[in-house]
Amino acid sequence: MQTDSSFTFVLFGGTGDLSMRKILPALFEAHRAGGMLADSGKIVAVARHVADRGEYLQWVDAHVKPYVSKNGLDEVAWTSFLARIEFVKIDLGNPDDFAQLRDAIQDLPGIRVFYLATGPSLFVPICHALAAVGLNHNARIVLEKPLGYDLKSSNAINDAVGEIFAEEQIYRIDHYLGKEPVQNLLALRFGNALFEPLWRREWVESIQITIAEELGVEARGDFYDNTGALRDMVQNHLLQLLSIVAMEPPHSMDSDSVRDEKLRVLRALKPIDPREIGKVAVRGQYHSGVIRGNAVPAYATEHGVKPDSSTETFVALKVEIENWRWAGVPFFLRTGKRLADRVAEIVVNFRPVPHSALGASALRAGANRLVLRLQPNETIRLYCLAKQPGEGMNLASVHLNLAFDQFFREAQMEAYQRLLLDVINGRLALFVRRDEQEAAWRWVEPILNEWKASTKPPKPYAAGTWGPAAASAMLAQHDTCWLEEEN
């Protein structure tokens, strides 16, 4: 991907964890690849914890290098990357300081990208301060999640930001949409005659979407205890993946065509009846356990977490889409912390053959399935049945495997790298539009409200397991199970 799009990339929260682990490594990889970033492009870090550019570059050298040197660091590329970086020390709580930022970037060429890698409480003050010094023109602004605590607070942020930046200037980032298998899902569905005729209720029995983490809340106990898994993962990541899986074919891949179809899915989600939440929603909280031989503490004893906390660290949901394509097909969503493995995957279970001339084994589980693994290794596998060598018609489950790192010689692009390049080049298709976000919050809120009012605590599960037994029981009611239970 060659570009001559000049840019000034202003990184708020320039010393923060997200900047060190994801944003700057992604920009470095684009820089190292050559041709992805215009030679004139500049990165301007904004922070208050270091004194000047020299000290900031030392900070970057110490904190970013571990994330870009796994396969060996190109020191020449690293040195030239650091030459792109400028630094402005300002206090984000002091609007008067933004004049320094204006003076520092006003003569730099190209589009201005403001990346807010800060807490959401700073989004509106930063936007107001940018507008006060005239920096909201010829600009794009990137907002990290969480964008609000509920529909009302989300609308308040969007209203305030929308007064300063037009909708086409606002990039609400969800890094799962930048992952290679998610992009390949669109290619598989809309580029191959094999899959699109099967992608409907007549041929799909159920769909599972899982984002599982081995990690706990780490140093984010204060934040997480006021957020929970439903807000942190379901309202954004899982519902965005669901909308990609279930969307109708767009007439083109331009930004609004794709997002229009995703919005139709979100608006077609069957509303959750508060009286039925116990049947279609499971919330859990991890207790102490063992993960890969290491003892880990219970959530309630994590730093920053209230000892009597009822915050959920696990959510499993049965979701239905009320439209012609998907009526009656259950979508099972699941996410959690301190689970048995780190995995993100989409599992499409096709219906078995209606009659088997090959015996009962042709109806066995483990076949007629498409599995898209998003992490840790990105693959797509199509499972089917084949005859085992030897006497008799004995069938076994086999799979066709597309392992991107083996099939394609080009290095895979990390999600943040793809998305940051899209921001710089003005491509909005992989970013969340405001009406999508509102539809997601509107669907999630009845669950949030019911759990808030409930006197029942989250269901316990031991760290290192796959969550509460109730999540498995919910699928058993539909004569199915989670993928790892079958294996």
Side-chain angles (χ1 to χ4, degrees):
M1 184 193 306
Q2 299 292 318
T3 184
D4 58 0
S5 301
S6 190
F7 66 92
T8 299
F9 189 97
V10 181
L11 179 57
F12 291 95
T15 56
D17 184 61
L18 179 64
S19 297
M20 299 297 105
R21 290 188 303 108
K22 296 294 184 180
I23 300 171
L24 288 175
L27 290 171
F28 171 70
E29 293 301 335
H31 169 85
R32 176 163 60 176
M36 290 186 175
L37 298 179
D39 292 340
S40 59
K42 287 289 186 180
I43 301 166
V44 181
V46 175
R48 63 175 182 174
H49 297 301
V50 294
D52 53 28
R53 180 176 182 270
E55 189 173 325
Y56 182 71
L57 293 183
Q58 291 178 9
W59 179 280
V60 170
D61 204 62
H63 292 85
V64 177
K65 261 189 177 180
Y67 297 101
V68 299
S69 59
K70 296 175 183 177
N71 299 317
L73 180 65
D74 182 339
E75 290 289 352
V76 174
W78 180 249
T79 300
S80 60
F81 175 69
L82 294 182
R84 285 187 185 268
I85 299 177
E86 303 293 340
F87 176 76
V88 180
K89 180 178 182 178
I90 64 175
D91 182 352
L92 298 182
N94 183 3
D96 294 338
D97 280 6
F98 280 71
Q100 300 176 43
L101 177 62
R102 178 198 59 207
D103 295 343
I105 70 174
Q106 63 183 356
D107 294 329
L108 296 179
I111 190 74
R112 292 166 182 159
V113 174
F114 298 110
Y115 197 113
L116 274 55
T118 68
S121 63
L122 291 172
F123 290 175
V124 174
I126 289 174
C127 290
H128 280 301
L130 289 171
V133 295
L135 291 178
N136 57 321
H137 305 293
N138 188 36
R140 298 169 187 146
I141 189 159
V142 186
L143 304 179
E144 270 284 349
K145 77 173 186 73
L147 202 67
Y149 186 76
D150 52 19
L151 179 60
K152 181 179 178 180
S153 59
S154 175
N155 281 341
I157 293 174
N158 278 317
D159 287 344
V161 175
E163 291 176 358
I164 298 163
F165 295 93
E167 179 64 27
E168 61 268 20
Q169 293 177 277
I170 303 172
Y171 291 68
R172 300 173 189 85
I173 194 167
D174 186 327
H175 70 275
Y176 275 88
L177 298 184
K179 290 182 176 292
E180 198 71 49
V182 175
Q183 303 301 296
N184 261 298
L185 175 57
L186 296 174
L188 282 173
R189 279 196 59 192
F190 306 136
N192 297 283
L194 174 65
F195 288 106
E196 178 54 27
L198 304 179
W199 215 263
R200 59 191 67 247
R201 60 187 175 85
E202 292 87 352
W203 301 107
V204 175
E205 190 169 63
S206 66
I207 293 177
Q208 300 174 17
I209 306 177
T210 294
I211 302 177
E213 300 177 279
E214 286 185 341
L215 294 176
V217 296
E218 306 308 299
R220 301 165 69 234
D222 289 332
F223 161 78
Y224 197 88
D225 208 36
N226 291 302
T227 304
L230 191 63
R231 290 185 179 90
D232 190 43
M233 299 297 290
V234 176
Q235 182 272 331
N236 39 70
H237 298 326
L238 280 169
L239 289 186
Q240 281 293 314
L241 292 177
L242 169 66
S243 66
I244 290 285
V245 170
M247 64 187 278
E248 294 295 320
H251 73 82
S252 74
M253 295 307 293
D254 70 77
S255 300
D256 280 330
S257 296
V258 172
R259 297 191 295 179
D260 285 346
E261 298 304 336
K262 287 164 56 189
L263 177 63
R264 290 189 176 97
V265 173
L266 294 170
R267 287 179 172 170
L269 295 177
K270 182 179 180 180
I272 296 291
D273 185 340
R275 296 168 297 181
E276 298 292 315
I277 281 182
K279 298 179 181 179
V280 299
V282 176
R283 64 169 176 159
Q285 185 184 104
Y286 66 81
H287 288 196
S288 58
V290 177
I291 296 180
R292 301 193 186 278
N294 299 313
V296 297
Y299 172 75
T301 64
E302 298 272 20
H303 178 72
V305 174
K306 297 184 291 292
D308 60 347
S309 174
S310 60
T311 297
E312 77 282 356
T313 62
F314 175 95
V315 174
L317 300 170
K318 176 201 167 191
V319 180
E320 296 182 66
I321 301 174
E322 296 183 313
N323 64 16
W324 193 271
R325 182 182 290 265
W326 296 113
V329 176
F331 287 71
F332 299 106
L333 311 184
R334 175 177 60 164
T335 186
K337 290 190 173 294
R338 292 296 191 202
L339 296 183
D341 199 3
R342 173 180 173 265
V343 62
E345 64 188 6
I346 299 167
V347 180
V348 181
N349 292 308
F350 295 100
R351 297 187 186 279
V353 294
H355 168 73
S356 174
L358 301 175
S361 62
L363 302 175
R364 65 189 292 176
N368 299 300
R369 170 179 294 150
L370 182 68
V371 178
L372 296 97
R373 177 67 65 90
L374 309 183
Q375 65 183 30
N377 52 328
E378 299 181 341
T379 61
I380 297 177
R381 289 185 174 184
L382 177 64
Y383 289 80
C384 53
L385 291 174
K387 179 188 175 298
Q388 290 181 333
E391 185 180 3
M393 184 59 72
N394 298 313
L395 304 182
S397 177
V398 298
H399 64 264
L400 309 174
N401 186 32
L402 172 57
F404 299 107
D405 58 346
Q406 298 175 22
F407 191 85
F408 296 106
R409 293 184 180 277
E410 300 89 344
Q412 288 191 56
M413 192 180 292
E414 291 291 334
Y416 268 96
Q417 183 181 344
R418 173 180 290 108
L419 295 173
L420 294 182
L421 289 172
D422 279 0
V423 177
I424 291 169
N425 291 293
R427 295 186 288 261
L428 277 159
L430 300 182
F431 296 84
V432 181
R433 204 167 59 191
R434 176 173 179 170
D435 49 9
E436 291 181 72
Q437 192 173 66
E438 289 179 356
W441 273 121
R442 194 169 288 112
W443 185 81
V444 161
E445 274 206 328
I447 309 173
L448 286 171
N449 294 337
E450 185 67 17
W451 284 352
K452 182 179 179 180
S454 176
T455 58
K456 296 181 180 178
K459 297 183 182 299
Y461 65 96
T465 67
W466 282 103
S472 298
M474 182 172 68
L475 270 68
Q477 295 174 6
H478 298 271
D479 196 27
T480 188
C481 63
W482 298 106
L483 181 62
E484 76 281 347
E485 293 173 334
E486 182 176 293
N487 293 338

